[in-house]
Amino acid sequence: EAGVVQSPRYKIIEKKQPVAFWCNPISGHNTLYWYLQNLGQGPELLIRYENEEAVDDSQLPKDRFSAERLKGVDSTLKIQPAELGDSAVYLCASSSLNEGSDTQYFGPGTRLTVL
Amino acid sequence: AQSVTQPDIHITVSEGASLELRCNYSYGATPYLFWYVQSPGQGLQLLLKYFSGDTLVQGIKGFEAEFKRSQSSFNLRKPSVHWSDAAEYFCAVGMGAGNMLTFGGGTRLMVKP
C-alpha cells in the first residue's frame, strides 16, 4: 500500500513569491492534515479536512495561507506571498475514521526555504 | 487544551545500552498517545500507540512504552539501542479518532559506538 505522497520534497523561493505544496493521502483515508514543523520543534496543525470540508483551520494564517481539497482526495496548500519566517517543513498526514482510531500516517514533507 | 512535554532535548547513549525517553502530557480525559520517530529529511514514522487496555504497549523496532495515568506519563523504552536508532523522537497526544495531534518538542537521540 502506498503511503502519503508529497511534492515537491524541497522548494527554495525568494520572499514575496507564491508557493504551493501538494499531498496525496493514503487511499481511502477521509481525514487529511497539514502540519507545520519548524526546525527543532514538533509539528503543529495548520488545517484538518474531513473529506472535502475543512473542519479545523483555526491555526492557518489566512492572510497568506490557503488550502483546498476539492474532491476529498488530494490537497494543495498555498502560501502567497511567502515570508522569511515561513521557512519550515510542511507535513501532510492522513487517517481513516473507519479504523476507529487516531492513527495518522505522515508523508515525507516539503522543506521550504524562503530567501 | 492538551499539551505534551518531552523534558530531554538531547540524549546520548552507547550502542547496546538501554534507553528511556520521557513524555508527560496534560489532558482532561483518557488520551490517545503516540510515539513517532523522524530520521533526518524524513517524515514521521509511527513506533507505537496507546488507546486503551494494557498499559504496556509494544511497537516496532523493539520499542515499548508504558502509560502511567497517575504520573501523566508515556515513556518510551528500548532494552538495547542500535546505531540505526539515532533519530528524533516525538511523543504526541490526540483527542480521539479524526482529531489533531499535539506533539512534544522532540528528543534527539545520538548513539555512541
Side-chain angles (χ1 to χ4, degrees):
Chain A
E1 175 182 284
V4 176
V5 179
Q6 290 187 249
S7 68
R9 291 294 311 277
Y10 305 91
K11 189 73 175 179
I12 301 173
I13 61 171
E14 295 190 346
K15 63 181 181 181
K16 301 185 181 179
Q17 294 300 306
V19 65
F21 315 126
W22 177 80
C23 171
N24 189 261
I26 292 173
S27 178
H29 281 195
N30 54 312
T31 308
L32 184 146
Y33 314 76
W34 283 102
Y35 286 88
L36 167 69
Q37 186 178 22
N38 287 305
L39 186 65
Q41 298 182 24
E44 298 176 347
L45 183 73
L46 287 172
I47 189 168
R48 175 169 63 93
Y49 282 93
E50 292 291 345
N51 300 305
E52 66 274 9
E53 181 182 0
V55 296
D56 185 356
D57 63 354
S58 58
Q59 301 302 311
L60 189 73
K62 298 181 182 65
D63 57 335
R64 297 184 301 108
F65 286 65
S66 64
E68 60 183 16
R69 193 185 184 199
L70 294 176
K71 296 183 179 180
V73 180
D74 55 348
S75 175
T76 302
L77 177 68
K78 298 179 182 178
I79 309 175
Q80 183 171 9
E83 297 179 352
L84 295 176
D86 296 331
S87 295
V89 176
Y90 293 81
L91 294 166
C92 180
S94 68
S95 67
S96 171
L97 287 175
N98 293 332
E99 291 184 10
S101 71
D102 198 9
T103 302
Q104 296 180 23
Y105 299 88
F106 285 80
T110 296
R111 181 176 296 276
L112 174 66
T113 301
V114 182
L115 303 176
Chain B
Q2 67 269 32
S3 66
V4 179
T5 301
Q6 294 181 246
D8 305 304
I9 297 176
H10 295 98
I11 283 185
T12 301
V13 300
S14 298
E15 191 169 16
S18 63
L19 171 70
E20 183 169 25
L21 302 182
R22 296 183 291 166
C23 172
N24 292 98
Y25 67 91
S26 173
Y27 183 58
T30 300
Y32 288 39
L33 294 163
F34 305 82
W35 275 99
Y36 284 87
V37 60
Q38 187 177 37
S39 298
Q42 303 296 314
L44 282 78
Q45 180 183 20
L46 180 68
L47 286 175
L48 48 78
K49 58 189 178 185
Y50 171 80
F51 298 139
S52 63
D54 192 347
T55 57
L56 183 64
V57 293
Q58 302 297 321
I60 63 171
K61 303 185 180 185
F63 285 92
E64 66 177 26
E66 186 171 12
F67 170 56
K68 293 185 177 180
R69 183 187 301 275
S70 62
Q71 299 177 18
S72 297
S73 69
F74 189 57
N75 294 349
L76 182 71
R77 301 193 294 248
K78 186 170 185 178
S80 178
V81 170
H82 188 263
W83 64 266
S84 61
D85 293 324
E88 184 122 27
Y89 291 79
F90 292 95
C91 181
V93 61
M95 294 185 291
N99 283 288
M100 62 174 280
L101 293 180
T102 298
F103 285 85
T107 297
R108 180 166 297 279
L109 173 67
M110 290 171 281
V111 180
K112 294 189 300 185

